Amino acid sequence: MSAKTKIIIDTDPGIDDAIALFMAMADPDLEILGMTAVNGNVPVDKAEYNIRRICDFAWHTGIRVYKGCDRPLKRSVLNAEWVHGSDGLAGQDFGEPAYKGEEENAVDFIIKTLMKSPEREVSLVAIGPLTNIATVFLTEPKTISRVRELIIMGGAFCEDGPRGNSTPYAEFNMLADPHAAQIVFDMAERVTVIPMEVGMQAAADKAFLERMRDLNLRCATMSADLLDITAKTLADHLFKKTGTAPEKGTSLYDPCAIGCLIRPALFSGRYGTVQVNTDASDEKFGMTTFEEGNKRNCLVTHKVDKEAFKDMLLAHLANLS
Ligand code: BDR
Ligand code: CA
């Protein structure tokens, strides 16, 4: 029997975060050492509470949860409650978790875990702003070489597609802490990036949501409800702005990051370096750019086998009661 892949998930739930966490908990080959909360879609207190609610909801009560940074390194706090709801989970009834969470800070937990584990044993999956991860690398640079792989959901690189979902130029996780993101891209050794356009390729359309509902299982139904609510929120927003809202599926941004950890062969990309615009006075603040080059520390994906990915997501949700 092969050993499980050990992971820490850094997250800011968040609707698509919730589905990503369901997916990770359902995977028999992952060992989740902890989940760490960061300020992002919602303030960190709510993010941490939501992680505990999501784990309880999926009956995965043994996962340790830690609270991390409550604000970006330099910029002002940015949240996305208009998309995810004021509670971060679209007001859905996840119940009250019995578990109170850990006292230890998320950054200390990640450092301690990496330093005590054998080199390249623990992978990190970051599906929120990169404040916690940058703080880990700055506080204890020896952690960097110990990470097996760092998978980041963030940025947008498509030359002829949209460059942002928070501004015309910036994707949310990058815009919410561009300085942290730049530090991580400069310092990390083995990074895989799932940008916005990949999450958009794997959008959950109506037919897919029906397949999800047909599973008739608690976590699958909750996921479909969350995605339906997001589709409506985004359509209403677009309609107010433009007077029209063509039907599009809801992007599965964060689940793609977990999918890439589980089955990297479904994703293709290019190696190079990533820069993040950290000039707050520039309209392109938070924008990511990619340069193919000698420093091959970073694989930026641009394509996912979307049907295989979506089948995999359903198969995972079917594993959760
Ligand atoms: C990212 O931003 C958040 O709103 C989502 O949870 C995802 O991590 C997509 O831009
Ligand atoms: Ca997220």
Side-chain angles (χ1 to χ4, degrees), residues 41 47 67 70 120 140 148 198-199 224 226 255 263:
N41 290 321
K67 194 185 295 180
D70 65 356
R120 299 205 189 183
E140 181 45 275
R148 175 178 161 167
V198 170
L226 290 169
R263 270 179 73 191

Side-chain angles (χ1 to χ4, degrees), residues 31-62:
E31 181 180 345
I32 302 171
L33 302 180
M35 294 186 185
T36 53
V38 67
N39 172 75
N41 290 321
V42 287
V44 73
D45 286 356
K46 283 189 198 174
E48 189 267 350
Y49 173 60
N50 286 345
I51 298 173
R52 291 186 283 119
R53 292 164 82 197
I54 294 161
C55 292
D56 251 42
F57 189 83
W59 307 116
H60 279 245
T61 49

Side-chain angles (χ1 to χ4, degrees), residues 162-238:
R163 295 303 285 263
N165 55 6
S166 287
T167 71
Y169 303 104
E171 180 280 330
F172 177 78
N173 288 341
M174 296 292 108
L175 184 65
D177 198 343
H179 304 93
Q182 187 65 69
I183 287 166
V184 171
F185 285 121
D186 286 344
M187 295 180 88
E189 290 182 1
R190 286 168 291 279
V191 186
T192 301
V193 182
I194 302 293
M196 203 179 88
E197 55 269 26
V198 170
M200 289 167 73
Q201 284 166 33
D205 55 17
K206 275 200 166 144
F208 181 64
L209 292 184
E210 264 172 42
R211 289 175 65 202
M212 214 179 246
R213 287 190 188 286
D214 284 347
L215 292 175
N216 203 17
L217 290 167
R218 176 180 163 94
C219 293
T221 304
M222 177 60 92
S223 300
D225 288 347
L226 290 169
L227 291 167
D228 264 340
I229 295 169
T230 311
K232 187 166 179 341
T233 306
L234 295 176
D236 287 351
H237 178 74
L238 198 62

Side-chain angles (χ1 to χ4, degrees), residues 12 17 41 127-128 254:
D12 60 338
D17 298 80
N41 290 321
I127 53 177
D254 293 342

